[in-house]
Amino acid sequence: MAQDEKKKVQLRSASWFGTNDKNGFMYRSWMKNQGIPDHHFQGKPVIGVCNTWSELTPCNAHFRQIAERVKNGIREAGGIPVEFPVFSNGESNLRPTAMLTRNLAAMDTEEAIRGNPIDGVVLLVGCDKTTPALLMGAASCDLPTIVVTGGPMLNGKHHGKDVGSGTLVWQAHEEYKAGRITLEQFMDMEASMSRSAGTCNTMGTASTMACMAESLGTSLPHNAAIPAVDSRRYVLAHLSGMRIVDMVHEDLKLSKILTKDAFINAIRTNAAIGGSTNAVIHLKAIAGRIGVDLSLDDWSHGKGVPTLVNLQPSGKYLMEEFYYSGGLPAVLRRLGENGMLNNDALTANGKSIWENVKDSECYNDDVIRPMDNPLVASGGICILRGNLAPRGAVLKPSAASPHLLKH
Ligand code: FES
């Protein structure tokens, strides 16, 4: 972006740092204890890097490294990065359930963004509830915002076979209880399943919400699937840091991206990826924060969309194969070519979703199935109503036993 264009938008942070009075003195002086020079307070966008890093959220434990790459990108583009922590509601350790603290994390995010001198924000998300929580909080503030996901773990490997996150747990437990394996073998299975940084590598809630964030347009293309330890994850973090600075100059707020069309794209994407039913509650909550009317009935937009992505738990492969096969852009292209995408929906890089994906290639038709050979002919989620659930209930027909489909 040209230098003269960059000056047009009045920076929000200027109401803290831009005055030569006692307030400006106070705000700048305390920040200067970090060694920040005067010229950094003279009209440079201040970018919050909202970090859910925690060693108690193992899926997000590598986020300090990701944050450094984001900050490098922000500096390169002429912004000032300020990293701040928010509550990290990790799925694997937190009792009784991370769902109870999703809204707490959302409130934490909202207040941290709203109350501080921030012009734009990068959300570092990964483990299941961290993605919706941070998007909810950011949506309430409606600043320029970009999502950077930590990425999925590498495939688990046990005795030469691929192992998805969570899949060995029950098997190992049963076999050890029955005396068919030793404690040493049990421990070996445990270590083989989670062998790199990152989130669960199946199409569980974390991968689903990463795909939701990308299909909503809140991240750069390919954000959902690049493995956590792949060098391209760090490149994406760097580029996202650069991009958020331009988003501030363009005043590209979250509300311009999170439109009803974007949510319908996400609903159809959820059907195409065989995504988690948890997306229903999370998307509804994000929509509510940004003022988009998204009801349970809107999930009918996913009706008739085939499930193309052949990933566990419904299918065969894991997130590594998904990325190597073309990732989410390849899926979105197939949806767009078949009239199942609102092509004009705007995304974080300033382009429409269709511009982003129209040339995307699929490199393995068994991982990302073509429309005429889907994993499930009609994917998606059904909303049920009746005297057992007058306000509606959610069912994923592709994952339900046939006897559940009639009551
Ligand atoms: Fe964190 Fe699965 S437990 S992503």
Side-chain angles (χ1 to χ4, degrees):
M1 181 180 271
Q3 204 58 37
D4 47 342
E5 281 178 65
K6 290 187 178 180
K7 295 205 175 96
K8 284 184 194 152
V9 174
Q10 172 70 27
L11 294 177
R12 181 173 177 265
S13 60
S15 74
W16 276 263
F17 301 135
T19 60
N20 292 323
D21 55 11
K22 76 172 183 321
N23 283 344
F25 179 109
M26 184 183 75
Y27 293 127
R28 289 187 299 267
S29 179
W30 264 273
M31 288 296 276
K32 282 180 177 176
N33 82 345
Q34 299 175 83
I36 299 174
D38 276 336
H39 70 275
H40 276 196
F41 295 105
Q42 292 164 10
K44 286 174 180 268
V46 178
I47 308 295
V49 181
C50 181
N51 201 342
T52 49
W53 169 85
S54 167
E55 288 175 345
L56 288 167
T57 303
C59 315
N60 298 14
H62 59 301
F63 278 19
R64 283 178 157 172
Q65 289 87 339
I66 302 253
E68 280 313 309
R69 303 306 178 116
V70 169
K71 287 154 85 172
N72 288 346
I74 293 169
R75 290 188 195 100
E76 185 181 335
I80 309 294
V82 283
E83 186 181 346
F84 62 96
V86 288
F87 180 73
S88 185
N89 49 336
E91 197 71 19
S92 60
N93 283 327
L94 199 62
R95 291 176 180 172
T97 156
M99 188 59 208
L100 272 187
T101 47
R102 183 203 65 175
N103 290 0
L104 172 70
M107 281 164 28
D108 185 357
T109 304
E110 176 182 347
E111 298 306 330
I113 295 173
R114 193 191 304 286
N116 276 301
I118 290 170
D119 298 304
V121 64
V122 183
L123 306 177
L124 301 192
V125 298
C127 197
D128 298 17
K129 313 292 187 296
T130 58
T131 306
L134 268 60
L135 267 171
M136 287 164 65
S140 291
C141 301
D142 197 19
L143 299 185
T145 302
I146 196 166
V147 168
V148 175
T149 301
M153 290 184 217
L154 296 178
N155 291 2
K157 291 278 180 189
H158 185 65
H159 292 178
K161 292 202 178 110
D162 284 339
V163 173
S165 304
T167 51
L168 275 188
V169 178
W170 313 113
Q171 183 194 341
H173 175 70
E174 294 305 320
E175 292 194 6
Y176 180 59
K177 243 180 24 181
R180 287 193 291 270
I181 60 171
T182 64
L183 179 59
E184 202 177 24
Q185 289 170 315
F186 179 87
M187 300 303 268
D188 182 46
M189 289 167 95
E190 191 176 292
S192 327
M193 194 180 76
S194 313
R195 64 188 186 92
S196 86
T199 51
C200 294
N201 53 25
T202 58
M203 189 52 80
T205 302
S207 301
T208 298
M209 290 313 297
C211 290
M212 294 296 91
E214 186 173 331
S215 60
L216 283 167
T218 59
S219 72
L220 295 184
H222 284 295
N223 174 65
I226 303 174
V229 296
D230 192 308
S231 55
R232 289 165 286 189
R233 170 65 54 194
Y234 292 98
V235 173
L236 182 132
H238 186 109
L239 296 177
S240 302
M242 291 181 71
R243 177 60 196 150
I244 187 65
V245 177
D246 274 345
M247 287 173 78
V248 169
H249 292 305
E250 294 163 12
D251 200 26
L252 180 47
K253 293 177 178 166
L254 210 42
S255 56
K256 294 181 184 169
I257 292 172
L258 290 179
T259 59
K260 183 79 182 243
D261 276 357
F263 282 98
I264 292 170
N265 281 344
I267 286 170
R268 290 180 178 148
T269 301
N270 188 265
I273 63 173
S276 161
T277 50
N278 288 338
V280 177
I281 41 176
H282 296 322
L283 285 187
K284 194 163 170 22
I286 297 163
R289 294 293 190 108
I290 202 76
V292 167
D293 180 21
L294 192 76
S295 71
L296 276 182
D297 293 330
D298 281 312
W299 283 82
S300 63
H301 287 289
K303 209 170 169 188
V305 177
T307 300
L308 304 178
V309 177
N310 185 7
L311 251 63
Q312 296 178 29
S314 324
K316 179 174 169 191
Y317 299 101
L318 297 167
M319 287 297 281
E320 253 194 277
E321 284 86 27
F322 183 41
Y323 177 55
Y324 304 149
S325 303
L328 195 66
V331 178
L332 295 175
R333 177 181 174 175
R334 288 191 170 163
L335 293 182
E337 284 172 340
N338 289 276
M340 295 175 178
L341 199 65
N342 292 314
N343 288 349
D344 295 334
L346 185 62
T347 73
N349 64 4
K351 296 180 184 167
S352 73
I353 196 157
W354 181 243
E355 278 179 279
N356 285 341
V357 304
K358 65 181 172 25
D359 299 319
S360 299
E361 297 284 343
C362 173
Y363 305 104
N364 186 333
D365 275 344
D366 193 39
V367 179
I368 302 171
R369 298 286 188 85
M371 283 283 177
D372 58 5
N373 181 30
L375 188 69
V376 180
S378 183
I381 278 165
C382 279
I383 303 300
L384 312 174
R385 288 184 202 278
N387 59 344
L388 288 179
R391 294 173 63 202
V394 173
L395 181 83
K396 187 166 153 188
S398 61
S401 317
H403 77 274
L404 292 173
L405 299 182
K406 200 165 181 195
H407 184 76

